[in-house]
Amino acid sequence: MSTLLDARALNRATLARQFLLTRTDTPALEAVTHLCGLQAQEPQEPFVGLWSRLIDVDPADLTGGLEERRLVRLHLMRRTVHLVTADDAWNWRPRHQDLLRQRTVGTHTRELAGTDLDELTRAAHELLADGRSRSLGEVGRALAARWPEPGPRVLGEVAVAALLATVQLPPRGTWRSTAGARYQLLSTWLGPTHVPSEADTAGHADQDLVRRYLTAFGPAASADLRAWCGLTGLPAAVTAIRDELVSFRDARGRELLDLPDAPRPDPDTPAPVRFLPAFDNVVLGFHDRSRIVDDEHRRLSVTGARMVLVDGRVAATWTHAPDSTEAGGTVTVTPLHGLTRAQRTEVTQEAHRLAAFLYDGRGRARIAART
């Protein structure tokens, strides 16, 4: 029978894979690769995500990566915007095409009734093929001249988020930028010299995706893998590499798969306080999220709440805001349950460090009354 891994063992393994058990000196772009990208629908959140994981974080690394086209922002896993490397964008975006089209078009079935989607795709591609960047509204208004019934907003969203592989251009997503999203074709932005990786051209992209997921999130069940990316058809890839994997089971009896040499720390390994950005994949990357968040607080993971890990588990939420009367800002932590004196001290210290990062050394921290 497979070895049982309880919630605490899974928690420590996940934290280790996610660089949340011990901060790493891995360079920022390599960390983004290892983590299979960062959820980025809130443009500034990836900076906090890396701050909590890396020993030395310079916001210029992510900003430069976007400006130099080594990182890109695009709709990908679960139909959400992710920050990924250029290679991963190129290799993974085609695999997500059916998912993105299905979910986005499905959201607007009524508005798109009677619209020839293939013709709409061709028209949208012709529009963006000139290489100019456009906002969603500009794309939508141009297409609405021919298809007025759905309306510009729906046409723009369907075109840039689903029908075409597009990227959101910087300064969107750069440090402290409030710029709106402007889109360009992925192929235009990365250029004709960017070629698929060996894994993709060999037809083994799904197998590589499974290995990458387990590296960053394992041990995990097949349902967790699907919850992370939203793709169907991956069981065949799991079967194909089954001999490479080891098997465990969780307290519910589910089979969990993992890479044999991946870290699985002692469950009693201390876990430091960590501040998570909104929609962090360490929470959203699983169907069964009990390894990191209690069921009563599971909804926080889909409402955009920023969470605080204490002893490896979600124990508080946090917000930050600039001060109205002077330079700087405040990080406010709201506990979800009682914290010990030692835990409050550690949370406060980490909140001060985060505030200093966010506000150039002029930040403050406070703990509010528990919810």
Side-chain angles (χ1 to χ4, degrees):
M1 180 176 290
S2 301
T3 301
L4 172 68
L5 296 178
D6 62 19
R8 189 174 177 89
L10 290 174
N11 175 272
R12 294 310 193 253
T14 301
L15 295 181
R17 314 290 174 91
Q18 288 281 314
F19 302 145
L20 291 168
L21 198 59
T22 304
R23 281 185 167 100
T24 178
D25 60 1
T26 301
L29 268 66
E30 290 181 25
V32 173
T33 299
H34 170 85
L35 296 167
C36 301
L38 297 166
Q39 179 97 322
Q41 61 202 65
E42 297 294 338
Q44 295 299 301
E45 300 301 303
F47 293 98
V48 175
L50 286 188
W51 177 85
S52 288
R53 290 170 163 92
L54 305 187
I55 293 172
D56 185 22
V57 178
D58 184 349
D61 291 338
L62 287 190
T63 294
L66 285 166
E67 293 172 342
E68 295 161 11
R69 311 188 189 200
R70 293 178 293 155
L71 295 172
V72 296
R73 294 170 46 85
L74 77 168
H75 290 86
L76 207 59
M77 283 80 81
R78 306 184 301 276
R79 198 170 69 96
T80 56
V81 176
H82 274 69
L83 175 72
V84 298
T85 64
D87 283 345
D88 284 343
W90 192 265
N91 292 327
W92 290 353
R93 179 54 179 79
R95 183 62 179 85
H96 287 76
Q97 175 60 35
D98 290 345
L99 164 76
L100 293 169
R101 177 166 172 155
Q102 217 171 42
R103 292 194 178 183
T104 306
V105 171
T107 301
H108 301 295
T109 300
R110 181 177 58 82
E111 295 95 328
L112 293 169
T115 303
D116 185 329
L117 295 179
D118 291 336
E119 188 60 30
L120 179 60
T121 301
R122 284 190 287 271
H125 189 274
E126 289 175 6
L127 176 68
L128 289 171
D130 64 5
R132 291 175 49 202
S133 69
R134 291 175 172 82
S135 68
L136 184 151
E138 289 170 340
V139 172
R141 286 190 293 274
L143 295 173
R146 181 172 173 184
W147 290 278
E149 291 83 3
R153 183 188 63 80
V154 170
L155 290 170
E157 179 186 347
V158 169
V160 303
L163 299 182
L164 301 177
T166 66
V167 297
Q168 295 183 353
L169 304 187
R172 180 74 166 176
T174 59
W175 181 236
R176 292 176 176 160
S177 172
T178 58
R182 297 189 68 81
Y183 296 86
Q184 194 174 80
L185 292 174
L186 174 65
S187 57
T188 300
W189 181 246
L190 294 186
T193 60
H194 209 96
V195 297
S197 70
E198 181 180 349
D200 188 57
T201 55
H204 299 306
D206 282 2
Q207 296 172 29
D208 183 60
L209 194 68
V210 173
R211 295 186 190 97
R212 293 278 302 277
Y213 173 74
L214 292 175
T215 298
F217 294 90
S222 294
D224 297 319
L225 172 63
R226 181 171 179 177
W228 166 67
C229 64
L231 297 175
T232 58
L234 292 179
V238 173
T239 300
I241 65 169
R242 185 64 184 243
D243 290 346
E244 302 176 20
L245 307 178
V246 292
S247 176
F248 302 93
R249 59 186 174 88
D250 64 12
R252 295 169 49 193
R254 299 189 313 160
E255 182 183 40
L256 306 176
L257 299 175
D258 203 6
L259 301 171
D261 297 326
R264 289 180 287 276
D266 188 311
D268 292 328
T269 302
V273 167
R274 292 289 185 256
F275 280 66
L276 300 180
F279 304 111
D280 196 289
N281 278 336
V282 74
V283 180
L284 294 180
F286 300 94
H287 176 261
D288 181 355
R289 298 169 185 167
S290 62
R291 68 180 67 192
I292 202 163
V293 61
D294 294 339
D295 286 343
E296 63 183 300
H297 302 310
R298 179 186 171 101
R299 182 167 170 74
L300 293 173
S301 63
V302 295
T303 61
R306 302 184 181 104
M307 294 177 259
V308 182
L309 302 182
V310 177
D311 192 24
R313 300 189 63 78
V314 174
T317 60
W318 68 278
T319 60
H320 73 94
D323 293 337
S324 57
T325 57
E326 54 185 299
T330 301
V331 169
T332 300
V333 178
T334 304
L336 298 171
H337 55 69
L339 300 176
T340 67
R341 180 175 297 181
Q343 288 172 338
R344 288 179 68 90
T345 297
E346 188 181 359
V347 168
T348 302
Q349 291 173 343
E350 188 73 352
H352 274 295
R353 287 190 284 268
L354 175 57
F357 171 72
L358 293 171
Y359 295 102
D360 296 329
R362 298 189 298 273
R364 285 162 288 281
R366 61 181 289 266
I367 297 184
R370 56 182 285 195
T371 57

